[in-house]
Amino acid sequence: MTDLIVFGEDWGAHPSSTQHLVSHLPGDRQIVWVNSIGLRRPRLTFGDAGRVIRKLIAAARPAAQPTRPAAPPAPGPVVQPIILPMAQGAVARRLNRFLLARKVGAAARAARLYHPVLWISLPSAIDAVGALDESAVVYYCGDDFGALAGVDHARCLKLEAELAARADLILAASPAMAARFPAAKTHVLPHGVDLGLFGTPVPRAADLPDGPVAGFYGTLAEWLDYGLIAATARRLPEWRFVFVGPVAADVSAISGLPNVSLLGARPHAALPSYSQHWTAGLIPFLDNAQIRASNPLKLREYLAAGRPIVATPFPAMLPYARHMSVAATPGAFGDALRAALLDPPGAAAARQAAVAGESWDARAAAAAALIDAPGR
């Protein structure tokens, strides 16, 4: 079994695909988790200042398990690095390399990791390559950093190209992302799903309204089609449109509508109490480069919950198109939601069967087979 140093998002902040995969890797292996190395330079805003302060406080602590009650147990020590985010220039990057080697290297030695594999999910961690006595480098590409909102696209793509050139193995979450890298060392690894969490019946959430409900969970970000949502909600005044998740975009188009509820974020473990009980799940994405390259976690989670799904068209939904309704206009969306009220017998079981072989255990086993293979 290969020991790993994983450069991912902040542990426990949100259930990313990296966290799911690493948590389900088979075997008894040592893992050190390194919290997020930012994908853009901080700006002079209260939000960024607060994030920097939280990072500095976390970095002052020794590597340890996270204490946030809602966070799942980490697979090993969690390290908060202090480096210059999105550094440019030889001097700044050498400093980052030194800082990473010092703090992350100390955590690795304390955990008895020798010649580990570096699993890197963020191109901003490129300066760790060659600094930690690693035996190999794996780049896990779970997002399109050329289109992902809120990052420095040009700088991310430059660092990604450098990382891809130095990686021994590349795992990409979608064919569109895989196509950017050398085919000889690149494998498509689609996202998985926690079948036990989303497929096991749970009680209805107390704040889920009665009546026909169209529901969405996830970040309310700029890649959602708020115009489509608003027009559909106006067409169906008898329906309640419920959104579970943090707001990260201008949602004024929907926030004032009487049949739209923004419930805010909920713990990941609580999501089935919504998705198993609303009338239909929504995936109202815009058509843009980020969405065309995406492989959204909620798609398989909605299917595992068994309820009808109404979505705009995007490539990742094509394998499941017969188990969901695809609509691109308010009229078509409204018609599909009305049809969800007449969900035929057996449809829920068919949706769940469509993802029965796509658990995170299965995805992690496929990743482990590639990472642990001699010679990779």
Side-chain angles (χ1 to χ4, degrees), residues 22-34:
V22 171
S23 296
H24 289 83
L25 285 172
D28 183 16
R29 68 185 79 224
Q30 296 289 97
I31 295 173
V32 169
W33 182 279
V34 184

Side-chain angles (χ1 to χ4, degrees), residues 80-115:
Q80 179 60 62
I82 297 182
I83 67 166
L84 302 174
M86 300 299 282
Q88 300 187 52
V91 174
R93 293 192 62 181
R94 279 200 296 270
L95 175 60
N96 277 354
R97 180 184 172 93
F98 168 77
L99 293 171
L100 287 169
R102 183 174 181 181
K103 182 146 193 178
V104 179
R109 290 189 294 273
R112 299 183 181 276
L113 271 70
Y114 303 104
H115 309 297

